């Protein structure tokens, strides 16, 4: 039902534009014709080519018709019910008779209404696209959370392997486990915000970079400059999974904390 609304609005707008063009032609035909001028049909053709308003309205009509065709071809036609039937637009004849009496302000109002309808359709299309994107994000978040759960579950084993490679003592191992758990929670929270659509892309980008900088500074403080390369290699080899590696970017230079 919601998807049919843009088509109904466009159909009404097109009906109004067609009627307006008919009315314009009616008013033009009513003007006196000098003897040496060509036939009425030729006059209308010449006016259509030379009148900027006429040309603009024809272009607007063509654009609206194209939008209706696109919307019609892109949607699945449901079984029609009484609620789905759009109200009948005013007949072309009666609307044309009314438009024939319009002053320039009335013509401007018609143009403004057509623009409003188009803007409303575009807004509804953007909202629908956003909703479809959120559905995909939520599906991806389910996969991500499973990976975060695996990192938490295997964290003791992962830290043990990392400690052997870096030569960490028992105290450093405890600190390393805490830092990795903290970053895993940051990654999980980032995924929650991203999938919920509550934050703008700019806000998410700022949080992403801030979390990455914090993690690098924390690891550097723990293992020192000499241990950074070993830690980065551990991440590149998949020691904590692909998503953890994505958030921390071990392929970049960690020579200095950001």
């Amino acid at each position: 039902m919601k998807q049919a609304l843009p088509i109904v609005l466009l159909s009404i707008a097109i009906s109004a534009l067609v009627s307006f063009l008919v009315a314009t032609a009616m008013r033009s035909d009513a003007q006196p014709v000098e003897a040496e001028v060509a036939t009425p049909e030729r006059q209308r053709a010449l006016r259509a080519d030379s009148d900027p308003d006429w040309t603009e309205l024809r272009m607007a009509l063509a654009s609206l018709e194209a939008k209706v065709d696109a919307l019609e071809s892109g949607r699945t036609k449901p079984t029609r019910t009484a609620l789905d039937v759009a109200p009948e637009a005013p007949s072309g004849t009666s609307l044309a008779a009314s438009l024939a009496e319009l002053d320039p302000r009335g013509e401007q109002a018609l143009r403004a209404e057509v623009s409003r309808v188009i803007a409303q359709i575009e807004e509804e299309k953007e909202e629908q696209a956003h909703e479809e994107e959120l559905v995909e994000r939520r599906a991806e978040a389910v996969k991500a959370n499973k990976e975060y759960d695996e990192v938490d579950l295997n964290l003791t084993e992962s830290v043990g392997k990392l400690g052997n490679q870096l030569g960490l003592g028992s105290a450093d191992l405890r600190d390393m486990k805490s830092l990795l758990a903290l970053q895993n929670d940051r990654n999980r929270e980032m995924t929650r915000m991203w999938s919920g659509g509550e934050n703008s892309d700019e806000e998410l980008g700022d949080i992403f970079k801030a979390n990455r900088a914090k993690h690098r500074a924390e690891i550097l403080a723990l293992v020192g400059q000499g241990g950074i390369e070993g830690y980065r290699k551990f991440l590149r080899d998949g020691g904590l999974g692909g998503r953890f590696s994505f958030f921390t970017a071990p392929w970049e230079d960690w020579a200095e904390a950001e």
Side-chain angles (χ1 to χ4, degrees):
M1 184 70 177
K2 180 179 179 181
Q3 194 173 16
L5 178 60
I7 298 176
V8 172
L9 292 173
L10 268 177
S11 299
I12 295 174
I14 290 176
S15 175
L17 267 177
V18 170
S19 301
F20 177 70
L21 292 173
V22 171
T24 303
M26 290 168 59
R27 290 201 302 272
S28 300
D29 289 343
Q31 296 175 354
V33 181
E34 297 181 5
E36 68 273 18
V37 177
T39 63
E41 291 77 7
R42 177 60 179 164
Q43 283 184 300
R44 285 194 294 272
L46 291 173
R47 280 198 302 272
D49 292 335
S50 61
D51 188 343
D53 290 338
W54 181 276
T55 302
E56 182 181 348
L57 286 171
R58 285 193 307 169
M59 292 175 63
L61 176 59
S63 175
L64 287 171
E65 289 176 337
K67 288 179 179 290
V68 170
D69 292 341
L71 289 171
E72 284 286 1
S73 62
R75 72 186 185 95
T76 304
K77 300 183 183 298
T79 303
R80 296 179 65 82
T81 65
L83 292 177
D84 291 324
V85 178
E88 246 183 60
S91 67
T93 303
S94 61
L95 187 55
S98 300
L99 289 173
E101 304 299 327
L102 285 179
D103 59 17
R105 289 173 299 176
E107 295 180 12
Q108 292 172 3
L110 176 60
R111 294 171 187 266
E113 178 62 16
V114 171
S115 298
R116 186 194 65 80
V117 170
I118 293 176
Q120 180 178 346
I121 292 171
E122 293 299 327
E123 182 179 347
E124 291 179 356
K125 286 169 60 179
E126 290 177 1
E127 291 178 357
Q128 182 178 356
H130 182 63
E131 287 300 322
E132 292 174 353
E133 181 181 351
L134 288 182
V135 170
E136 295 178 358
R137 289 187 181 189
R138 286 191 285 268
E140 183 64 25
V142 172
K143 300 177 184 177
N145 283 313
K146 289 181 179 179
E147 189 167 326
Y148 303 146
D149 291 341
E150 290 179 4
V151 171
D152 284 336
L153 182 63
N154 302 320
L155 195 54
T156 299
E157 180 182 353
S158 300
V159 170
K161 293 179 181 179
L162 178 59
N164 290 334
Q165 294 180 21
L166 299 181
L168 299 179
S170 58
D172 289 340
L173 286 175
R174 288 194 299 270
D175 291 341
M176 177 64 75
K177 184 175 181 179
S178 297
L179 291 180
L180 297 185
L182 175 60
Q183 182 60 29
N184 198 44
D185 289 341
R186 289 169 179 158
N187 300 345
R188 192 189 297 271
E189 177 62 11
M190 274 290 301
T191 300
R192 185 196 67 78
M193 291 188 292
W194 173 76
S195 63
E198 301 169 1
N199 302 84
S200 67
D201 291 343
E202 291 77 10
E203 291 172 335
L204 290 173
D206 290 341
I207 297 172
F208 181 90
K209 289 187 289 187
N211 287 346
R212 177 177 290 183
K214 289 176 184 176
H215 181 70
R216 292 182 179 184
E218 292 161 353
I219 295 298
L220 179 60
L222 178 62
V223 303
Q225 196 66 56
I228 285 294
E229 180 55 36
Y231 178 72
R232 289 171 55 209
K233 183 178 185 306
F234 181 77
L235 296 184
R236 289 196 301 267
D237 292 342
L240 292 171
R243 295 183 192 274
F244 197 101
S245 179
F246 165 75
F247 279 105
T248 56
W251 53 87
E252 295 180 354
D253 184 12
W254 287 24
E256 295 181 1
E258 295 179 358

